[in-house]
């Protein structure tokens, strides 16, 4: 598992941890994560990595809980 403090959305300075927390809090897809965190509001290059992270967290949420 990668560092929760690593930035996954450069435009919004959104970290992996913020995305993980959004998914654990009920975000189901990229739109939900974007609304919860502000990710994806610039260049959209973060969309694919965030979608992969969403799927990983949804597949094994216990691995991402603190």
């Amino acid at each position: 598992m990668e560092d929760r403090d690593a930035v996954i959305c450069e435009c919004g300075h959104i970290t992996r941890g913020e995305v993980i927390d959004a998914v654990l809090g009920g975000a189901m897809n990229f739109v939900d994560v974007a609304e919860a965190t502000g990710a994806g509001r610039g260049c959209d290059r973060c969309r694919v990595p965030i979608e992969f992270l969403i799927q990983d967290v949804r597949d094994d949420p216990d691995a991402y809980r603190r």
Side-chain angles (χ1 to χ4, degrees), residues 1 3-5 8 14-29 32-37 50 53-54 56-58 61 63-66:
M1 189 174 342
D3 183 5
R4 289 180 57 93
D5 294 329
I8 196 167
I14 309 302
T15 65
R16 288 176 46 84
E18 290 173 283
V19 173
I20 291 166
D21 291 343
V23 176
L24 292 175
M28 299 296 288
N29 55 45
D32 292 345
V33 168
E35 289 176 0
T37 66
I50 288 175
L53 181 55
I54 292 167
D56 285 346
V57 175
R58 291 186 67 206
Y64 290 91
R65 286 193 172 87
R66 295 190 229 184

Side-chain angles (χ1 to χ4, degrees), residues 5-7 9 22 24 32 36 39 55 62:
D5 294 329
V7 174
C9 175
L24 292 175
D32 292 345
Q55 192 59 54
D62 290 335

